[in-house]
Amino acid sequence: FIGDGSGLLSNLILNLFSIKRAIFLDLPQFLIRQYIVNNEFAEKLEFYTPSNLNSLKTDEYIIINQDSFPELPKKDLDKYTNAKLIKNKSKIYSYNQKPIDDQHSKWNDIIKQNGWDLLSSQQSLSRKKYFIEVYSKVI
């Protein structure tokens, strides 16, 4: 989970699906909240700040993001979606607005430039400016 904020989305997913391992990437103050909300799954969870992301080791990488892709600087989004980190079949699940002005990164272009293919895109029924998108990458 990149930028899960209060941890409610991750808690919903952890309660609904059989997840073997969940990795959280966020600022320290948000990671604390995510740990508290998801404490019952503590043995499955790992927490990383952007500065210690390079110590992450995984073969399959699924990125789940809601609301924060447009706010991430290009260098950070490059770091999270580049081939050095992603080693095998991977997916990105995004629930974000399309870039709307110069204050927001063109996150969807950055993801595509890093070799991800858009598999599906559907406008949200409840938030008209938002899109549920799935990207895939096979290395």
Side-chain angles (χ1 to χ4, degrees):
F1 297 90
I2 295 179
D4 196 39
S6 65
L8 296 178
L9 176 62
S10 59
N11 189 263
L12 177 67
I13 290 172
L14 290 168
N15 274 293
L16 288 176
F17 300 100
S18 176
I19 305 291
K20 294 177 186 173
R21 179 177 174 216
I23 299 166
F24 292 78
L25 174 64
D26 215 328
L27 300 174
Q29 63 271 27
F30 295 115
L31 291 175
I32 292 167
R33 174 70 175 145
Q34 293 159 18
Y35 177 80
I36 292 168
V37 169
N38 293 303
N39 189 38
E40 66 186 284
F41 302 101
E43 71 280 353
K44 300 178 180 186
L45 309 181
E46 295 178 37
F47 298 89
Y48 294 86
T49 61
S51 63
N52 68 8
L53 179 66
N54 290 336
S55 62
L56 173 63
K57 299 206 180 359
T58 186
D59 289 334
E60 189 169 341
Y61 194 64
I62 297 173
I63 297 171
I64 300 173
N65 179 264
Q66 175 178 311
D67 291 330
S68 60
F69 273 169
E71 299 168 0
L72 289 173
K74 180 185 182 322
K75 67 178 181 60
D76 290 338
L77 193 54
D78 276 338
K79 181 194 280 187
Y80 304 155
T81 62
N82 71 27
K84 291 178 190 169
L85 180 67
I86 299 151
K87 306 202 178 6
N88 199 351
K89 295 186 294 183
S90 300
K91 290 202 178 345
I92 294 175
Y93 294 89
S94 167
Y95 185 59
N96 286 282
Q97 293 185 54
K98 299 290 186 178
I100 53 176
D101 57 35
D102 291 339
Q103 301 301 311
H104 294 93
S105 73
K106 293 188 175 10
W107 62 268
N108 51 347
D109 288 344
I110 295 167
I111 289 172
K112 289 175 187 173
Q113 289 166 4
N114 282 330
W116 295 84
D117 294 323
L118 179 63
L119 295 180
S120 67
S121 180
Q122 182 175 357
Q123 187 173 16
S124 172
L125 296 176
S126 59
R127 298 167 85 188
K128 295 296 182 191
K129 293 181 182 180
Y130 282 72
F131 289 80
I132 300 165
E133 296 185 330
V134 178
Y135 294 83
S136 179
K137 186 169 191 173
V138 177
I139 296 178

